[in-house]
Structure formats: structure tokens, C-alpha cells
Amino acid sequence: MRLLIADDHPLFRLGLRAGLEAEGLEVVAEAGNGLEALEKTLALQPEAVLLDLRMPGMDGLECAKRLRQAGYRGIIAFLTTYQEPALLREAWLAGADAYFSKELSAAELRSRLLRVARGEERLHPPSLPHLTPREEEVLRLLAQGLSAKGIARALGLSPDTVKDYMENIYGKLLARNRVEALERARALGFLREKT
């Protein structure tokens, strides 16, 4: 299998390349950002592209989207430390075939890539609770430490209405209180900063 590795850490790329080549895979190119990965992938047409999620300039998600828009039909696999369900869903929406942890060994990564190539393994979007736009606003204000009264003032709502929204959020996030709701929201990716 011919591969392209895209990651903004040169030492990681070097180690990954050595590990994958020791497993019999051919690394045809490396890239330090999404734009470079896009250009090299379209020029070289490797069978698979391993993308880091976060890279300077164009990130992995945008690169994946553009590769699919340009007609690239090879395997797009994310290799990352980020495991939030919301990010897995974004990767799936961007056209990724796989989403792997950087903690895999080279042998495991090779095995999983071959399973994807044979159609035995595919990325499936995780199910996420659906929060309405208003519930997302309330959640963000909760994360800023505002009380129900403070949220009510900020949004021009009654405190009782805000409490209803908070109960809905707790139910959707399977949380018993504010602390659990915020922990779960962070784990699901609802409160991460936009890149």
C-alpha cells in the first residue's frame, strides 16, 4: 500500500514512516500541513492518506473535504490524539474512512489500514445528543459560570425558562447536575473552541 503522511511534527512523521516501512508499506510522501497534503495527494494519488487533525494553515478536516471534492477515491484516515465523538462525526462528514489513535503500533496501524482497504472496517458517525441552538447558548453560558438568573438576564428570558432549558440539557447529556453536564459536554466536543 502506498501512503502519504501528513502531520506538523517532523519527528512524529519520521518515526511513523520508519515504523510503517518496516511493516512493508510504502510512504511516497510526507506533508507538514493540510495544503501540502492536498497538493501531494492529488499529484501522487497514494492509496491512503494519514492526516493529523490539527495542523497549521489548512487542518486535516478541511484537507479531507477538499480531497473528496477533488475526486480523490483513496483511503482517508485520521491519525490523532483527539477522540471526542463530535470530532469523529466531523471526520466522517469530511469523507474520512477511518479514525485512528496515535497510540496504535505500526503493526496495528498497518493491519487496520488493510482492513479498511478490504472493506472490513469503516468509520461510522457516533450518535450525539441534539441540542437546540438555544440550549447550546445556555450551555456556553453555564460553562462561563453564570447562574440561572445570570443566564436569564443575558438571554432576556425568565429564570424558570432557563431552568427548563438546563433540565433539558441535563437530560440530553445524561447528567445529574451542572458539573456532570459540563464534563459530558466537553467530552462530546460541544464546548471546544472553534478552529
Side-chain angles (χ1 to χ4, degrees):
M1 179 180 287
R2 298 169 62 248
L3 302 171
L4 179 138
I5 298 170
D7 193 287
D8 58 331
H9 295 96
L11 283 176
F12 178 78
R13 288 195 315 264
L14 181 68
L16 181 59
R17 179 179 200 137
L20 293 174
E21 288 178 343
E23 291 295 324
L25 301 176
E26 179 187 358
V27 177
V28 297
E30 295 178 21
N33 60 57
L35 183 58
E36 189 181 357
L38 176 67
E39 292 168 352
K40 288 182 177 182
T41 299
L42 294 176
L44 299 171
Q45 292 295 311
E47 294 166 82
V49 178
L50 296 176
L51 295 172
D52 189 16
L53 198 62
R54 303 277 189 246
M55 293 183 283
M58 182 189 296
D59 68 12
L61 290 168
E62 184 63 25
C63 179
K65 286 180 205 169
R66 291 195 190 184
L67 283 170
R68 290 302 187 216
Q69 289 167 354
Y72 177 68
R73 298 178 58 82
I75 295 168
I76 296 176
F78 282 95
L79 190 58
T80 182
T81 57
Y82 299 97
Q83 298 300 313
E84 293 96 349
L87 291 174
L88 270 73
R89 184 169 182 76
E90 286 184 47
W92 179 77
L93 289 170
D97 300 293
Y99 195 98
F100 302 132
S101 169
K102 283 187 174 179
E103 295 179 10
L104 291 176
S105 69
E108 290 171 310
L109 183 55
R110 176 189 177 273
S111 174
R112 302 268 310 265
L113 280 169
L114 293 175
R115 288 174 49 92
V116 172
R118 292 190 302 262
E120 297 169 3
E121 182 176 338
R122 284 284 178 214
L123 176 62
H124 297 285
S127 58
L128 294 174
H130 174 73
L131 298 182
T132 67
R134 180 62 89 182
E135 288 167 346
E136 288 184 13
E137 282 182 298
V138 170
L139 182 63
R140 279 191 291 278
L141 294 172
L142 270 176
Q144 293 173 18
L146 271 66
S147 66
K149 287 181 183 178
I151 294 169
R153 277 192 300 275
L155 298 178
L157 302 172
S158 77
D160 287 338
T161 300
V162 169
K163 287 178 185 172
D164 288 342
Y165 279 122
M166 289 170 64
E167 288 302 316
N168 289 343
I169 292 167
Y170 295 171
K172 289 178 178 182
L173 296 178
L174 305 176
R176 292 174 294 199
N177 55 45
R178 172 191 292 252
V179 172
E180 283 184 13
L182 292 175
E183 286 176 1
R184 182 122 170 91
R186 284 187 183 93
L188 291 171
F190 284 109
L191 294 174
R192 68 184 175 82
E193 292 182 20
K194 302 292 183 194
T195 57

